[in-house]
Amino acid sequence: MAMIDEALQAFLNRLTRLSSLAAEEQAAILALADDGLVEPSSGDLVRPGQTVDHAILVAEGVLARYDLMRTGARQITAFHIPGDVSDLQSVVAPVTGWGVAALGPVRTVRLPHRALRRLATRYPAIALAFWRDTTLDASILAKGMANIGRKTSHGRLAHLFCEFGLRMERAGRGSRNVYPLPVTQEQLGDAVGLTGVHVNRTLRALRDEGLVSFSQQRVAISDWDRLAAAADFDSLYLLPDEPRVLLD
Amino acid sequence: MAMIDEALQAFLNRLTRLSSLAAEEQAAILALADDGLVEPSSGDLVRPGQTVDHAILVAEGVLARYDLMRTGARQITAFHIPGDVSDLQSVVAPVTGWGVAALGPVRTVRLPHRALRRLATRYPAIALAFWRDTTLDASILAKGMANIGRKTSHGRLAHLFCEFGLRMERAGRGSRNVYPLPVTQEQLGDAVGLTGVHVNRTLRALRDEGLVSFSQQRVAISDWDRLAAAADFDSLYLLPDEPRVLLD
DNA sequence: CGCTTCTTTGACGTCCCTCAACTCGGGTGG
DNA sequence: CCACCCGAGTTGAGGGACGTCAAAGAAGCG
């Protein structure tokens, strides 16, 4: 129970970083919990093409949104860390092509669409906050697309490590320079459009250059500035910390 | 003037394909026009990093949202055709890293954020419709990411042609098999993570296989089923046509 | 008709994939 | 307690897809 409240609080923090919400609105968010905590050890939470009636809030662990090719190849389009709601957009598009999988042991909280939609229609500020949250997600998608489309393996992985540094720091799960990242090299590859083998070689190179090391599912950035330069990283797309007044 | 109304009507059609809006809400959308029609012959409408106070509705032509690397390399993350609002998400995130450029002669209508935000806060159904529209955009982004990350040049271009077939058809700008696509081969490359040269070679191959031809800025799909198979195309991510009741 | 922009084609290099084997560590059961 | 096993990480050799560079046609536009 405590963990559910903690997760909702993390989600609320995420929202209020970008949107200002009144006390009543904040209370309404914190009252969202539906079922208890779900704890699948691993595997699919949503299969591609499935219709869902709830969004998934991450309490612990890492989720991935992914797309499958007929060949079996997989592209991870988004990672979700504690405090993120994977598929918040499913509230307005309950059937889409992607799946959601746990990349390791995970704890999640189910947020029913009905409840989320009711909040969004009752409180305009919450509707805008949800919209804004989806927009941040889309911004990360666009950056990831540019990353894969126009950078070499070094730049792609370097960028991913910079991004997670900031996201983990925001989520209170480490510092931007040192943080846990419980995924395999192959999963990293699925996220940046490479094979596990090539990820391995690239990680070695990044380590040898003294930029960043990744082992035992832990990232340690040795030199943020040089890593950011190698990544062509500009944090603007993660949206700066300024809650804006939402109602005109 | 007539053209402004036409463009707003196209935008409204786009929204009501996915969201049901009451007559009053529809009228409010149609009353949005701010300035008159803007007609830049070509070039940037929004530069990367710029803060904007309006969204851009496409009346005629094609816009691209893009991201720039330090090296000068460009990744087009989204194309916008008539009836699309590029940067609708800028309403809730007015400063981000991307730019918007016209890929040829274009006519656009500026929609001020203030007006859009006022509509969204006054009419919950409109807020959800905007959110849903942004979600469709994000879904296309995710698919594009998978496209670039996990497919060969043939699959990438084939997929792009299938996608635009459906989008153009929806927008009333042709059929899914034959439609205008006023972009250069290099711009196609910027969208799918290839160079113009390689796009050229791949187009020749696709034509030789009898799948699709692209010349004079016109796409003609010879065999939809085989092209869709080559593209691993499933239209689900473009969201099926069913306006849902929005208010619970 | 001369310019610019786009398309097309060739030769060559490189980044990354494929396939395959070996290593390592952690868990499990005999 | 050790043998085994399994997933993940590591490394090598060879090949294929795509990029780079360069130059020569088309095609629109003044």
Side-chain angles (χ1 to χ4, degrees):
Chain A
M1 317 299 134
M3 179 159 265
I4 295 181
D5 295 336
E6 226 172 88
L8 283 167
Q9 183 63 52
F11 176 46
L12 180 57
N13 291 344
R14 195 182 138 91
L15 291 179
T16 54
R17 191 182 70 80
L18 296 170
S19 308
S20 46
L21 296 176
E24 183 186 353
E25 292 155 350
Q26 301 201 17
I29 299 266
L30 292 177
L32 265 176
D34 171 42
D35 323 320
L37 211 54
V38 181
E39 316 197 27
S41 72
S42 187
D44 280 2
L45 305 198
V46 177
R47 245 162 316 216
Q50 190 180 331
T51 301
V52 293
D53 62 358
H54 61 276
I56 300 169
L57 169 58
V58 183
E60 207 62 52
V62 176
L63 294 186
R65 221 161 61 221
Y66 66 90
D67 192 17
L68 275 186
M69 317 291 127
R70 246 177 334 170
T71 63
R74 185 167 79 155
Q75 175 68 43
I76 290 178
T77 53
F79 285 119
H80 298 286
I81 65 177
D84 292 358
V85 171
S86 104
D87 254 358
L88 182 56
Q89 62 269 50
S90 69
V91 172
V92 290
V95 50
T96 50
W98 52 69
V100 177
L103 299 184
V106 160
R107 296 181 184 188
T108 60
V109 179
R110 292 154 63 112
L111 308 177
H113 285 168
R114 262 169 63 90
L116 291 167
R117 230 178 291 125
R118 203 172 290 153
L119 283 191
T121 54
R122 171 144 184 208
Y123 301 103
I126 290 185
L128 290 199
F130 286 171
W131 182 12
R132 181 171 285 122
D133 198 72
T134 298
T135 294
L136 170 55
D137 192 82
S139 181
I140 293 175
L141 275 174
K143 194 53 108 170
M145 188 171 172
N147 217 21
I148 296 177
R150 291 301 185 205
K151 285 184 202 151
T152 146
S153 63
H154 290 235
R156 295 186 206 175
L157 284 170
H159 197 277
L160 186 147
F161 290 134
C162 287
E163 174 177 318
F164 275 87
L166 294 193
R167 288 177 62 186
M168 287 292 180
E169 192 169 273
R170 281 182 185 174
R173 299 282 165 158
S175 76
R176 69 183 60 189
N177 288 308
V178 178
Y179 55 88
L181 189 63
V183 306
T184 67
Q185 294 185 2
E186 179 131 24
Q187 288 162 349
L188 284 182
D190 284 344
V192 297
L194 297 171
T195 59
V197 172
H198 201 69
V199 167
N200 184 283
R201 294 191 229 267
T202 306
L203 287 177
R204 158 185 273 290
L206 290 173
R207 184 168 5 100
D208 289 351
E209 292 171 42
L211 296 180
V212 58
S213 78
F214 174 65
S215 70
Q216 314 288 58
Q217 314 218 321
R218 226 177 56 98
V219 174
I221 297 178
S222 329
D223 187 332
W224 177 274
D225 291 341
R226 283 178 52 227
L227 185 67
D232 207 347
F233 182 79
D234 177 347
S235 66
L236 194 57
Y237 75 104
L238 291 174
L239 307 190
D241 278 37
E242 19 173 346
R244 295 171 175 277
V245 179
L246 293 183
L247 310 174
D248 255 5
Chain B
M1 317 302 134
M3 179 158 266
I4 296 182
D5 296 335
E6 226 172 87
L8 282 168
Q9 183 63 52
F11 176 47
L12 180 57
N13 290 345
R14 194 182 137 90
L15 291 179
T16 54
R17 191 182 70 80
L18 296 170
S19 308
S20 47
L21 295 176
E24 183 186 352
E25 292 155 350
Q26 301 200 17
I29 299 264
L30 292 176
L32 263 176
D34 171 43
D35 322 320
L37 212 52
V38 181
E39 318 198 25
S41 72
S42 188
D44 279 3
L45 304 198
V46 178
R47 245 163 313 219
Q50 191 179 332
T51 301
V52 293
D53 62 358
H54 61 275
I56 301 168
L57 169 59
V58 183
E60 208 62 53
V62 176
L63 294 186
R65 222 162 60 223
Y66 66 90
D67 191 18
L68 276 185
M69 317 292 128
R70 247 178 331 169
T71 62
R74 184 166 80 154
Q75 175 68 47
I76 291 179
T77 54
F79 286 120
H80 297 286
I81 65 177
D84 292 358
V85 172
S86 102
D87 255 359
L88 183 55
Q89 62 270 49
S90 70
V91 173
V92 290
V95 49
T96 50
W98 52 68
V100 177
L103 298 185
V106 160
R107 297 182 182 188
T108 59
V109 180
R110 293 155 62 112
L111 307 178
H113 286 168
R114 263 169 62 89
L116 291 167
R117 230 178 291 125
R118 203 172 291 153
L119 283 191
T121 55
R122 171 144 183 205
Y123 301 104
I126 291 185
L128 290 198
F130 286 172
W131 181 13
R132 181 171 284 122
D133 198 73
T134 298
T135 294
L136 170 55
D137 192 82
S139 180
I140 293 174
L141 276 173
K143 194 55 109 173
M145 189 172 172
N147 217 20
I148 296 177
R150 291 301 185 204
K151 284 185 203 151
T152 153
S153 63
H154 290 237
R156 294 186 207 175
L157 284 170
H159 197 277
L160 187 148
F161 290 135
C162 286
E163 174 177 318
F164 274 88
L166 295 193
R167 288 177 61 186
M168 287 292 181
E169 193 170 273
R170 281 182 185 173
R173 298 284 166 156
S175 75
R176 68 184 62 190
N177 289 308
V178 178
Y179 56 89
L181 189 63
V183 305
T184 68
Q185 295 185 2
E186 178 131 25
Q187 289 162 348
L188 283 183
D190 283 344
V192 296
L194 297 169
T195 59
V197 171
H198 201 69
V199 167
N200 185 281
R201 294 192 229 268
T202 305
L203 288 176
R204 159 184 270 291
L206 290 172
R207 182 168 6 98
D208 289 351
E209 293 171 42
L211 296 180
V212 59
S213 79
F214 174 65
S215 70
Q216 315 286 66
Q217 315 219 321
R218 227 178 53 102
V219 175
I221 297 178
S222 328
D223 187 333
W224 177 274
D225 291 340
R226 281 176 54 227
L227 186 67
D232 207 347
F233 182 79
D234 177 349
S235 66
L236 194 58
Y237 75 103
L238 290 173
L239 306 190
D241 275 40
E242 20 172 346
R244 296 169 174 279
V245 179
L246 293 185
L247 309 174
D248 254 6

